[in-house]
Amino acid sequence: MPLVSFFNAHRYAAAIKQMTGGQTMPPWFADPRFGKFSNDLSLAPEQISTIAAWADAGALPGNPKDAPPPARWAQGWNIPKPDLVLSMPKPVSLPAHGDVAYTYEIVPTGFKEDKWVQASEIRPTSRDHVHHAVVYVRPPNSKWLRNAPVWRPFSSSDMTNDEDVRQALFTDSDMLLVYAPGSSPDQWPDGMAKCIPAGSDLVFQMHYTTNGHAATDQTAVGMVFAKQTPRQRVLTLQLTNHSFVIPPEADNFRVEVFGTLPNDATLLSFFPHMHLRGKRFEYDVVNPDGSIETLLRVNYHFHWQMSYRLAQPRFLKAGTKLQAVALFDNSRNNPHNPDPEATVRWGGQTYEEMMVGFFDLAVPASVDKWQYFVRREPAN
């Protein structure tokens, strides 16, 4: 449904009126009572009224002289033309039916110097099979997945000992970016970027789902490099709870997790992740007196997993206590629920559940993820 010209939009005028009037389009799921966000797509009431009046009047064209110049897009990308595109070396064959284990491909970058990535985008070739994708940065001193093959797909079932299996399921490596349906690329302001150290590998983690049609996928990541070393490094961290058990028919099951920041940082954005039973996700600051300040509350939609970027980044001192709260609807009133009679636990497949609250922080450029987690004794 392209909407880049009048002739594209004219034929859908009635549908556009209906969807904007019901506030289901443009997609935006943040509760307006909590936080202001620079990428807020929601329409103001007067904009919705203008669209309705246009549709009711016959969806007529305006004066061509008043039209803005056509948008110019980098071919195939939603970021500026990438300085470098790295693809998974071998395509992954996907069956028509059944579960697909998490699939990995390790891609050596060959970088001779540190690279600072100001914008990046993940592009699957079979988008309708990708539940999510994560591109991790594995620096040369990392021991993660060192027994795994390079340049070809593998999964945990290819590992030969328990530790290697564990490493194929869990990691603390830094992330370049995350992709899920409805998500947008990462684009950091001047003076901020993510770092790929010299000699690093990129590790593609792919979660595929089947849909009745066999396919192949060869996902790529495009990167735009900063023109100079930035002042701040962006880190993606997460608040995660793996230990929940959602009972059958529970319609408002609460799962929460807490964490404290080990050092000062500037909070930039949020990316909540759940599966088909996800109902709501919330990020809070827990103040020393126990009071709660809600930073973001999302009425969760599995098919539109979006980032929420603070309009004004917020400085948080070391020791700040963060809370993430997720509500799940495992009832038959949830139209997306695959089985309301199931007891649901953490798992990688969509009929299982996840509770992950990603968030992005800016720290000094000289501080990597592992250094950030070194807690320092407070000054006397």
Side-chain angles (χ1 to χ4, degrees):
M1 186 179 176
L3 297 172
V4 295
S5 72
F6 167 77
F7 295 101
N8 292 150
H10 176 268
R11 60 187 295 194
Y12 296 110
I16 292 170
K17 174 187 173 182
Q18 178 184 5
M19 301 298 278
T20 55
Q23 298 185 16
T24 55
M25 286 288 151
W28 186 253
F29 306 101
D31 187 321
R33 295 175 297 171
F34 306 103
K36 300 294 182 185
F37 302 93
S38 62
N39 61 328
D40 186 344
L41 298 176
S42 60
L43 299 177
E46 58 270 21
Q47 293 173 310
I48 295 173
S49 297
T50 298
I51 291 171
W54 169 73
D56 291 341
L60 301 175
N63 186 337
K65 294 181 180 179
D66 296 332
R72 299 179 64 86
W73 305 97
Q75 186 64 37
W77 298 92
N78 294 304
I79 57 175
K81 183 179 179 181
D83 296 312
L84 178 66
V85 177
L86 289 178
S87 297
M88 297 194 310
K90 292 187 181 256
V92 179
S93 296
L94 303 171
H97 304 282
D99 293 344
V100 180
Y102 276 35
T103 304
Y104 294 81
E105 287 199 40
I106 298 173
V107 185
T109 64
F111 292 161
K112 305 300 184 186
E113 59 184 8
D114 295 351
K115 293 289 188 180
W116 292 94
V117 180
Q118 192 159 6
S120 57
E121 180 178 357
I122 291 176
R123 300 285 291 184
T125 59
S126 186
R127 191 178 296 270
D128 54 344
H129 286 84
V130 178
H131 168 281
H132 79 253
V134 184
V135 176
Y136 292 98
V137 177
R138 186 175 74 173
N141 60 350
S142 170
K143 298 179 180 180
W144 181 46
L145 292 176
R146 286 300 172 185
N147 294 324
V150 178
W151 302 113
R152 67 175 178 82
F154 66 92
S155 69
S156 61
S157 62
D158 298 310
M159 302 293 97
T160 56
N161 63 59
D162 290 345
E163 175 58 20
D164 290 342
V165 170
R166 188 194 68 79
Q167 289 190 16
L169 297 174
F170 299 98
T171 182
D172 60 0
S173 284
D174 200 6
M175 299 175 187
L176 180 60
L177 77 164
V178 181
Y179 164 90
S183 64
S184 56
D186 280 351
Q187 298 192 63
W188 307 110
D190 290 342
M192 294 183 187
K194 289 204 166 184
C195 184
I196 303 178
S200 293
D201 304 322
L202 297 185
V203 181
F204 287 73
Q205 181 202 71
M206 305 298 301
H207 178 190
Y208 296 110
T209 56
T210 56
N211 58 16
H213 303 281
T216 60
D217 177 72
Q218 193 167 9
T219 290
V221 59
M223 293 170 280
V224 177
F225 299 132
K227 294 180 172 57
Q228 59 189 16
T229 301
R231 298 184 306 277
Q232 293 180 293
R233 180 194 304 242
V234 179
L235 302 177
T236 299
L237 308 182
Q238 61 193 66
L239 290 164
T240 302
N241 187 327
H242 296 89
S243 59
F244 55 83
V245 180
I246 306 174
E249 298 288 357
D251 64 354
N252 206 42
F253 188 79
R254 179 184 175 97
V255 178
E256 59 187 35
V257 61
F258 300 88
T260 57
L261 295 184
N263 288 288
D264 295 350
T266 300
L267 180 64
L268 304 175
S269 57
F270 309 95
F271 183 84
H273 180 66
M274 307 162 80
H275 287 179
L276 292 168
R277 296 171 176 87
K279 180 178 181 179
R280 198 173 84 194
F281 204 102
E282 181 175 309
Y283 295 81
D284 306 311
V285 169
V286 182
N287 295 312
D289 64 0
S291 61
I292 300 294
E293 179 188 358
T294 298
L295 305 175
L296 169 70
R297 180 179 292 170
V298 171
N299 296 311
Y300 193 77
H301 196 306
F302 178 73
H303 300 295
W304 289 100
Q305 300 185 48
M306 307 176 70
S307 295
Y308 298 86
R309 300 175 185 131
L310 288 170
Q312 294 295 328
R314 176 164 172 170
F315 178 75
L316 298 176
K317 292 187 66 63
T320 299
K321 186 176 183 179
L322 297 177
Q323 170 184 262
V325 179
L327 296 179
F328 295 90
D329 184 355
N330 193 25
S331 75
R332 59 192 68 250
N333 294 325
N334 175 359
H336 303 295
N337 192 349
D339 183 3
E341 298 180 3
T343 298
V344 183
R345 295 175 171 82
W346 174 278
Q349 302 301 329
T350 54
Y351 53 78
E352 300 167 311
E353 267 303 336
M354 284 190 175
M355 189 279 190
V356 186
F358 296 105
F359 58 101
D360 296 307
L361 299 175
V363 300
S366 59
V367 177
D368 65 21
K369 182 177 179 179
W370 296 269
Q371 292 168 331
Y372 179 72
F373 278 96
V374 176
R375 296 180 185 266
R376 293 166 175 80
E377 292 296 328
N380 292 328

